[in-house]
Amino acid sequence: MQKSQEELINELSVVMERFTAQSDALELAYKALEIQAQQLKKMQEEVNQSRVLSALGEMAATVAHEIRNPLSGIASYTSLLVRNIPPGDPKRKYVDKIVGGVNSLNKIVGNLLVYTKKTNLQKQSTDLAVWAEAILAHAEIEIENTKKNVSIERDFPEEPLNAEIDGDRLQQVMLNLLINGIQAIETEGKISVGIRSNKNFAEIIVADTGKGIEPEHLKDIFTPFFTTKEQGTGLGLAIVKKIVDLHEGEISVESTPGKGTKFCIRVPI
Ligand SMILES: Nc1ncnc2c1ncn2[C@@H]1O[C@H](COP(=O)(O)OP(=O)(O)O)[C@@H](O)[C@H]1O
Ligand SMILES: [Mg+2]
């Protein structure tokens, strides 16, 4: 029996519908595949970059190590020179410049060694408010040296909050954040330090009312050697990130140019 034209058209439209549905599904699958390919490419780029970074890191560590000895030689000979120059002698000015230069080189080399050294944490249960208070004493001295009018505000929990941390390492983190905050403030402003618990984490917040970070710089600030300062090393936040990572913690930043910057560190309690 022959099919009527109507029946044929019906069958055809069913087949067409199926075909359209399948081609839609195919298109979706293709898009998903494309996204995965992009992700794969990005991961590959990241792996390559981290290889380059780790090779660079090793080189930096070797160079820093090699520079250290001659540098301490220069430092001790300069201090001998200083002894033989009476105060008030114009030569003194030049020697003082050498001393200043050597000091800043020492700082860079020290930072590089900290950044590249394989470090094991010495974790201990620590009362965060007590720990932070000791660090803020250092920050106060730093503020006095700058002659800026910077106040420090504390927002600490009423009950002691303990976390398993390497206090010395994390002190370096806090100091780097505090010093960046002080440097970001031009003449007067406020630095707020907060400590609080959030689920299984302790949060440590360092906020300043300084000049803020341009949005296009935000992605670079934790990269070694990124700096916008004439005398900067660009290693402070790289060290911060490294130490927070060692604690299996997280760090986040919010910043508004002209208003200020807020860093939040989370470490497991
Ligand atoms: N609190 C802050 N306010 C404004 N900018 C900041 C702050 N902290 C970091 N930055 C920006 O991030 C850069 C990198 O900081 P860091 O790694 O500590 O290096 P450095 O302080 O030597 O420049 C700084 O040069 C600055 O541009
Ligand atoms: Mg810094």
Side-chain angles (χ1 to χ4, degrees):
M1 202 178 69
Q2 259 203 337
K3 288 181 182 170
S4 73
Q5 201 177 5
E6 205 177 328
E7 277 175 326
L8 275 175
I9 288 175
N10 273 343
E11 268 177 33
L12 201 64
S13 74
V14 169
V15 171
M16 280 295 285
E17 254 168 49
R18 265 196 222 140
F19 183 75
T20 324
Q22 274 182 357
S23 91
D24 281 352
L26 218 62
E27 200 174 353
L28 274 181
Y30 179 74
K31 281 206 180 114
L33 217 65
E34 216 169 22
I35 290 172
Q36 276 185 353
Q38 268 171 12
Q39 279 171 346
L40 211 66
K41 191 161 163 243
K42 201 171 147 230
M43 269 161 67
Q44 223 155 23
E45 275 165 12
E46 277 169 7
V47 168
N48 282 342
Q49 202 195 2
S50 77
R51 273 209 202 109
V52 172
L53 273 182
S54 90
L56 266 180
E58 257 169 56
M59 194 182 80
T62 314
V63 172
H65 197 76
E66 294 297 322
I67 287 178
R68 243 227 308 224
N69 288 333
L71 206 56
S72 70
I74 296 175
S76 27
Y77 288 120
T78 320
S79 67
L80 283 180
L81 261 183
V82 172
R83 266 191 240 163
N84 294 327
I85 302 174
D89 189 315
K91 285 197 209 98
R92 193 67 184 245
K93 208 171 66 196
Y94 301 126
V95 180
D96 284 344
K97 287 237 188 277
I98 299 178
V99 172
V102 168
N103 281 344
S104 86
L105 276 175
N106 249 330
K107 219 158 73 184
I108 297 174
V109 168
N111 272 335
L112 261 178
L113 285 174
V114 170
Y115 181 67
T116 48
K117 206 165 51 180
K118 287 198 179 61
T119 34
N120 290 324
L121 295 184
Q122 311 263 319
K123 284 200 211 168
Q124 242 177 0
S125 176
T126 307
D127 181 330
L128 291 180
V130 176
W131 164 83
E133 203 54 64
I135 300 168
L136 290 182
H138 288 283
E140 309 262 13
I141 294 171
E142 197 67 34
I143 291 170
E144 264 173 47
N145 289 339
T146 63
K147 315 260 186 313
K148 294 178 187 175
N149 183 7
V150 180
S151 58
I152 298 185
E153 195 180 82
R154 295 150 172 84
D155 184 7
F156 292 174
E158 308 210 325
E159 297 287 309
L161 175 60
N162 281 284
E164 285 282 322
I165 58 165
D166 183 327
D168 290 341
R169 298 262 140 202
L170 225 50
Q171 160 164 344
Q172 213 169 356
V173 167
M174 276 290 270
L175 272 176
N176 284 344
L177 294 180
L178 289 165
I179 289 170
N180 278 345
I182 297 166
Q183 289 173 344
I185 292 170
E186 203 147 347
T187 48
E188 63 173 89
K190 191 174 74 184
I191 296 197
S192 316
V193 179
I195 292 173
R196 60 180 184 221
S197 68
N198 185 354
K199 295 174 198 151
N200 295 328
F201 287 91
E203 289 185 341
I204 304 161
I205 293 143
V206 179
D208 65 70
T209 59
K211 64 176 173 191
I213 302 171
E214 297 300 326
E216 70 263 30
H217 288 159
L218 273 179
K219 62 176 192 328
D220 299 320
I221 56 173
F222 296 105
T223 309
F225 306 114
F226 174 83
T227 182
T228 56
K229 299 171 193 168
E230 227 162 88
Q231 302 279 344
T233 64
L235 284 172
L237 288 181
I239 290 173
V240 163
K241 176 85 172 67
K242 182 178 168 177
I243 295 173
V244 172
D245 282 348
L246 281 173
H247 278 85
E248 278 150 27
E250 291 164 14
I251 181 161
S252 58
V253 54
E254 287 164 31
S255 187
T256 315
K259 284 245 161 76
T261 305
K262 181 165 126 184
F263 284 92
C264 178
I265 297 167
R266 263 167 243 104
V267 288
I269 288 181

